[in-house]
Amino acid sequence: MLDACYSPAAVQTAVDLANTLKPVKGEDALETVEQLRDFLDDHFPAESPSSAAGQGVRRRLSRADLAEVRALRETVRALLERASTDAAGAAALINDGLRDSRATPVLRHDHDRWWTEVTSDTDRCSAQLAATTLSALASVIATLGPARLGVCAGPNCRATYVDLSRNGSKQYCTRTCAHRASVAAYRSRQSPR
Ligand SMILES: [Zn+2]
């Protein structure tokens, strides 16, 4: 059921969660409960039809929630970094995380439309977020393969990405990083040795 398809929005939520930490610059956009609330508002809009998980996270947030989500971020980043070289290790992280979050697939119906999503049967914010993000990455691995998860090749970046493109040749997190790298390569070819 999980590998039937992936939700691009849920995949993006996983990548965005991992990238709230910028390891090269040492910047962290998930240091306060307020920042956590902003992240959840951005990724689980209240009007979205698929906001069942959003309702779970849209309760009073505490420092404990923040600590749990930060721990989840470590897991999501680790598996994005590791999947292409250690798929079994990444799978273990996903399976442990899904089990810990009590992830449960559910079938939903609204306005003549049916869809499935994976949610948590707990009301913990981190568990809802884990169910959403880990199941999305599991679906990508199952449908496109573990090599689609990666880390930007930009020398000063280290942002994570998931490559959902048709040919699967992504190496950089953004066009900006790809452009920067090609300019740097060009300059190094031009410079006298
Ligand atoms: Zn990058």
Side-chain angles (χ1 to χ4, degrees):
M1 180 173 180
L2 278 180
D3 64 352
C5 62
Y6 49 81
S7 153
V11 172
Q12 193 60 49
T13 299
V15 172
D16 290 348
L17 175 64
N19 290 342
T20 56
L21 182 68
K22 295 190 170 39
V24 174
K25 290 181 182 168
E27 293 171 3
D28 188 343
L30 204 58
E31 288 186 309
T32 67
V33 172
E34 200 49 50
Q35 286 174 317
L36 173 58
R37 192 184 321 280
D38 288 346
F39 181 87
L40 296 173
D41 285 347
D42 287 347
H43 292 84
F44 297 93
E47 68 275 12
S48 161
S50 183
S51 66
Q55 283 151 27
V57 301
R58 207 171 311 286
R59 59 187 182 85
R60 275 179 53 165
L61 295 166
S62 66
R63 297 287 303 176
D65 290 313
L66 177 65
E68 288 177 9
V69 171
R70 286 171 61 86
L72 171 65
R73 177 177 67 178
E74 294 286 309
T75 302
V76 171
R77 175 167 268 281
L79 74 92
L80 282 161
E81 288 177 347
R82 188 183 295 182
S84 63
T85 54
D86 176 16
L93 286 174
I94 289 175
N95 291 337
D96 288 350
L98 287 173
R99 192 169 47 242
D100 291 349
S101 68
R102 286 163 51 186
T104 311
V106 287
L107 178 61
R108 299 202 187 279
H109 183 226
D110 184 33
H111 296 107
D112 295 332
R113 194 170 76 87
W114 292 91
W115 75 96
T116 59
E117 67 178 1
V118 179
T119 181
S120 166
D121 72 351
T122 78
D123 64 352
R124 280 161 50 220
C125 162
S126 62
Q128 294 291 352
L129 202 49
T132 298
T133 57
L134 299 179
S135 64
L137 296 178
S139 297
V140 171
I141 291 174
T143 51
L144 299 175
R148 294 302 189 105
L149 281 59
V151 177
C152 180
N156 298 312
C157 186
R158 303 278 311 153
T160 61
Y161 64 77
V162 173
D163 185 357
L164 300 180
S165 68
R166 188 183 295 247
N167 63 4
S169 60
K170 193 176 172 95
Q171 282 185 289
Y172 299 95
C173 66
T174 56
R175 285 187 186 167
T176 310
C177 262
H179 178 69
R180 212 172 272 152
S182 71
V183 169
Y186 175 79
R187 285 207 182 118
S188 75
R189 283 197 299 273
Q190 298 298 308
S191 62
R193 292 172 193 274

